[in-house]
């Protein structure tokens, strides 16, 4: 009997540990692959980090990818626009302030629903291309974005004040999604932003 | 007693499921953060995918990040050079064949050892900047790279022949690593490549 209790306790602990990193996300089932806008929005709402690529000042315009955390809204209320909390101590921020062209890339792999290799077309991947722009401090959008970021990434609230973090957004101009066989799927920015789950 | 057996069976199944996606990797403990070359090589040996950024032809030179699988060698025998299996059906490959400047970005997050937010400096991240180059077909390096790729990604062997996949490598010119507080850590390409675990 004691063993049973211990096993149950262990299982419980294991479950907590498994879900601790995703507790800030409202889990939504993967949409049908035919629904391109839904699939793209799902990847953005279910991921908490991705790779933000800018044009490197240090490396003469080479593309520079950097791991960053992001949020597109409160859990379950994302609007599809990725917001970031960046400091000019980071080359990505300095690059973007010089040339705002950027892309933001996410994989389905961290969500845990891929059954195949991360590069298999059934393991979705999304690249949003656009402009990485700082939000006006004190603006309405900055307040909303900050709340979205701090809710999914509470640690951000404790990041050093002297590092001068600011809120940026990716203004999306193109959506590149692969979520099934047959090459990139087509959707417009308008369809993507208008999508409601 | 029956409950005990069922719980043990369940635990066993859970363990298998948790490790199924990482069975192709020889797990190595995270190195001390002071050892910059070791930390960078560890991220490359323990990850199976990352984001490969190139300069987009379609989007007038904007940086384009794309999720790709990779391998730097047989499990436990990686040499630090990331190899990829790419097709010109993919924009990344077409971009690289026009302008080879590229970067490859990995996070510690998929390895499962991060205790903090993916953007916290203690959750390591690595960006290798360099040139993305196709290997000569039939060359010794191509044979080694293919074996490295197919061992970590057996699915690649079944990818459609008519898609004309070819092996590429990233010729590294710069290493950007954050694995602790205090900004990017410094290491040379030579130190990185010479490192032996």
């Amino acid at each position: 009997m004691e063993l049973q209790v211990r096993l149950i306790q262990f299982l419980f602990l294991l479950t907590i540990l498994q879900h601790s990193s995703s507790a800030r996300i409202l889990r939504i089932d993967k949409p049908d692959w035919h629904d391109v806008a839904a699939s793209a929005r799902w990847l953005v709402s279910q991921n908490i980090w991705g790779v933000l690529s800018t044009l490197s000042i240090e490396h003469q315009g080479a593309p520079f990818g950097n791991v960053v955390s992001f949020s597109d809204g409160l859990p379950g209320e994302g609007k599809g626009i990725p917001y970031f909390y960046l400091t000019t101590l980071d080359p990505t921020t300095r690059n973007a302030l010089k040339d705002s062209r950027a892309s933001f890339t996410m994989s389905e792999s961290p969500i845990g629903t891929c059954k195949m290799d991360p590069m298999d077309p059934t393991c979705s991947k999304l690249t949003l291309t656009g402009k990485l722009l700082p939000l006006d401090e004190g603006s309405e959008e900055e307040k909303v974005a900050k709340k979205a970021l701090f809710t999914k990434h509470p640690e951000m609230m404790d990041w050093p004040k002297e590092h001068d973090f600011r809120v940026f957004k990716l203004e999306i101009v193109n959506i590149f999604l692969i979520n099934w066989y047959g090459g990139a799927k087509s959707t417009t920015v308008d369809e993507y932003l208008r999508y409601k789950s």
Side-chain angles (χ1 to χ4, degrees), chain A residues 34-75:
Chain A
H34 293 95
D35 196 340
V36 179
S39 296
R41 289 286 296 275
W42 178 76
L43 283 169
V44 175
S45 75
Q46 302 293 293
N47 270 301
I48 61 164
W49 67 277
V51 171
L52 187 56
S53 300
T54 51
L55 298 169
S56 169
I57 298 171
E58 266 176 272
H59 303 292
Q60 296 78 43
F64 181 78
N66 202 350
V67 173
V68 294
S69 293
F70 78 103
S71 173
D72 79 325
L74 297 176

Side-chain angles (χ1 to χ4, degrees), chain A residues 24-191:
Chain A
R24 309 146 192 174
I25 297 286
L26 181 75
R27 289 283 155 203
I28 300 164
D29 285 344
K30 185 176 177 177
D32 185 279
W33 69 267
H34 293 95
D35 196 340
V36 179
S39 296
R41 289 286 296 275
W42 178 76
L43 283 169
V44 175
S45 75
Q46 302 293 293
N47 270 301
I48 61 164
W49 67 277
V51 171
L52 187 56
S53 300
T54 51
L55 298 169
S56 169
I57 298 171
E58 266 176 272
H59 303 292
Q60 296 78 43
F64 181 78
N66 202 350
V67 173
V68 294
S69 293
F70 78 103
S71 173
D72 79 325
L74 297 176
E77 298 175 26
K79 301 274 190 290
I81 300 168
Y83 294 108
F84 310 94
Y85 201 47
L86 305 172
T87 158
T88 51
L89 292 174
D90 190 307
T92 297
T93 317
R94 298 194 297 270
N95 296 341
L97 290 174
K98 186 176 174 242
D99 187 331
S100 64
R101 287 179 290 171
S103 70
F104 187 54
T105 307
M106 287 142 284
S107 167
E108 185 186 333
S109 189
I111 302 171
T113 43
C114 287
K115 292 176 184 71
M116 306 282 282
D117 189 88
M119 205 168 142
D120 187 273
T122 61
C123 182
S124 328
K125 56 180 183 173
L126 175 69
T127 301
L128 303 172
T129 306
K131 289 177 181 226
L132 184 60
L133 303 170
L135 297 187
D136 287 335
E137 287 179 73
S139 66
E140 203 47 51
E141 187 174 13
E142 198 226 15
K143 279 181 209 158
V144 170
K146 236 178 194 169
K147 203 173 159 193
L149 284 161
F150 291 177
T151 306
K152 285 195 182 169
H153 306 275
E155 294 94 323
M156 284 181 178
M157 286 185 272
D158 300 322
W159 288 356
K161 295 286 168 258
E162 66 273 22
H163 287 191
D164 199 25
F165 281 93
R166 283 187 67 183
V167 180
F168 283 69
K169 77 162 164 186
L170 189 76
E171 199 176 87
I172 304 166
V173 298
N174 186 270
I175 295 159
F176 173 88
L177 173 79
I178 292 188
N179 68 345
W180 197 251
Y181 306 101
K185 301 295 176 285
S186 180
T187 187
T188 64
V189 175
D190 191 49
E191 277 170 349

